[in-house]
């Protein structure tokens, strides 16, 4: 069975540009999460989808970040316009139902120059 | 104060050594506790959940002290393959699926 897949694995963009990250959760997993790790810091929660609904978006840093999960399958995280401090590794995770193990994807390494 | 604090590390130990990681958390309403393992440039993977009574999985033993808000992980007879970063992770109060991570402690097991 395929795990959580993320695309792209790496992205280098200029400040002010737009980047869209994609996450395909494990098939059948209703819960999808976005996390990120910026250099030298801990992994931090961004938001949580249950199917297509945003359950918790308390970790989204500002309105330059937009997450969607149309149809309740894959999710996208768009950063527009990107700033230097957005550089980091963006992880997606999914879990079958609440209170079950969350499986992480390998992450997208974003570098804003 | 950070929500989850870990030993800063790094730890360098010889094969066969016993190594202990410590972690404290600030939110007394936290409900669930975990140790994750992250290899270099890879995703975090669940190593084990931590229960109040303490639990063991082979060479790994996890302990939780709710009164002190303290979590530990003990690795016995360490192997080269145990080299990784160990992340202490806490889930907030009931109803939230948000995981709160510590910065992690890097372990290198040397031959």
């Amino acid at each position: 069975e395929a795990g959580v897949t993320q695309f792209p694995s790496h992205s280098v963009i200029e400040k002010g540009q737009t980047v869209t990250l994609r996450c395909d959760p494990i098939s059948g997993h209703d819960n999808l999460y976005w996390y990120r790790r910026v250099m030298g810091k801990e992994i931090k929660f961004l938001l949580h989808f249950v199917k297509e609904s945003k359950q918790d978006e308390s970790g989204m840093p500002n309105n330059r970040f937009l997450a969607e999960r149309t149809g309740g399958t894959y999710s996208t995280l768009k950063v527009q316009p990107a700033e230097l401090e957005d550089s980091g590794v963006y992880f997606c995770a999914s879990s079958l139902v609440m209170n079950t193990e969350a499986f992480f994807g390998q992450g997208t390494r974003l570098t804003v120059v | 104060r950070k929500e989850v604090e870990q030993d800063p590390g790094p730890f360098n130990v010889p094969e066969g050594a016993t190594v202990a990681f410590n972690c404290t958390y600030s939110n007394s309403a936290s409900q669930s506790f975990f140790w994750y393992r992250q290899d270099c440039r890879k995703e975090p993977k669940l190593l084990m959940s931590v229960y109040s009574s303490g639990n063991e999985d082979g060479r790994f033993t996890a302990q939780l002290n709710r009164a002190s808000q303290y979590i530990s992980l003990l690795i016995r007879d360490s192997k080269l393959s145990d080299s990784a970063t160990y992340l202490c992770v806490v889930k907030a109060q009931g109803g939230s699926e948000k995981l709160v991570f510590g910065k992690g402690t890097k372990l290198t097991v040397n031959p």
Side-chain angles (χ1 to χ4, degrees):
Chain A
E1 182 183 338
V4 177
T5 56
Q6 293 187 243
F7 182 82
S9 56
H10 294 80
S11 180
V12 181
I13 61 170
E14 292 184 351
K15 177 182 168 180
Q17 289 187 319
T18 298
V19 63
T20 300
L21 313 181
R22 173 172 169 143
C23 169
D24 286 76
I26 293 171
S27 178
H29 280 197
D30 284 345
N31 293 274
L32 186 149
Y33 315 86
W34 284 98
Y35 289 83
R36 78 170 176 179
R37 183 172 203 157
V38 298
M39 181 81 79
K41 302 276 190 176
E42 64 275 18
I43 296 171
K44 284 198 169 178
F45 170 84
L46 296 178
L47 89 160
H48 170 206
F49 284 100
V50 178
K51 297 185 181 178
E52 67 274 12
S53 299
K54 290 176 185 172
Q55 182 79 7
D56 180 355
E57 52 184 327
S58 61
M60 294 289 264
N62 52 60
N63 60 9
R64 295 186 295 102
F65 289 75
L66 174 65
E68 295 181 320
R69 193 183 181 196
T70 307
T73 53
Y74 72 91
S75 174
T76 58
L77 179 66
K78 183 161 72 173
V79 185
Q80 179 183 29
E83 298 289 345
L84 299 178
E85 65 264 24
D86 300 331
S87 295
V89 182
Y90 289 76
F91 290 104
C92 176
S94 72
S95 65
L96 184 60
V97 294
M98 301 289 211
N99 285 317
T100 57
E101 181 181 351
F103 295 87
F104 282 77
Q106 290 213 351
T108 294
R109 186 170 296 273
L110 175 66
T111 303
V112 183
V113 296
Chain B
R1 182 186 171 187
K2 289 197 179 298
E3 290 188 69
V4 178
E5 300 224 45
Q6 294 186 241
D7 288 335
F11 286 14
N12 286 280
V13 303
E15 266 187 294
T18 296
V19 60
F21 301 119
N22 302 313
C23 168
T24 57
Y25 59 95
S26 62
N27 185 350
S28 59
S30 299
Q31 295 287 317
S32 305
F33 310 89
F34 312 93
W35 284 100
Y36 275 70
R37 170 197 168 122
Q38 186 174 22
D39 292 285
C40 188
R41 293 187 171 260
K42 298 286 190 180
E43 73 275 22
K45 290 185 179 178
L46 179 65
L47 179 65
M48 59 197 301
S49 300
V50 188
Y51 303 112
S52 296
S53 53
N55 47 299
E56 189 173 305
D57 182 2
R59 299 180 293 108
F60 299 82
T61 301
Q63 300 264 344
L64 168 65
N65 184 323
R66 284 187 184 269
S68 304
Q69 294 178 206
Y70 169 87
I71 308 162
S72 66
L73 175 69
L74 186 76
I75 305 176
R76 291 181 301 279
D77 188 24
S78 52
K79 312 289 184 193
L80 297 178
S81 57
D82 294 333
S83 298
T85 295
Y86 289 81
L87 303 165
C88 179
V89 183
V90 170
K91 190 182 286 188
Q93 60 266 29
S96 171
E97 291 292 295
K98 170 184 168 183
L99 297 177
V100 182
F101 285 79
K103 278 186 76 171
T105 304
K106 185 174 180 180
L107 171 67
T108 302
V109 181
N110 301 302

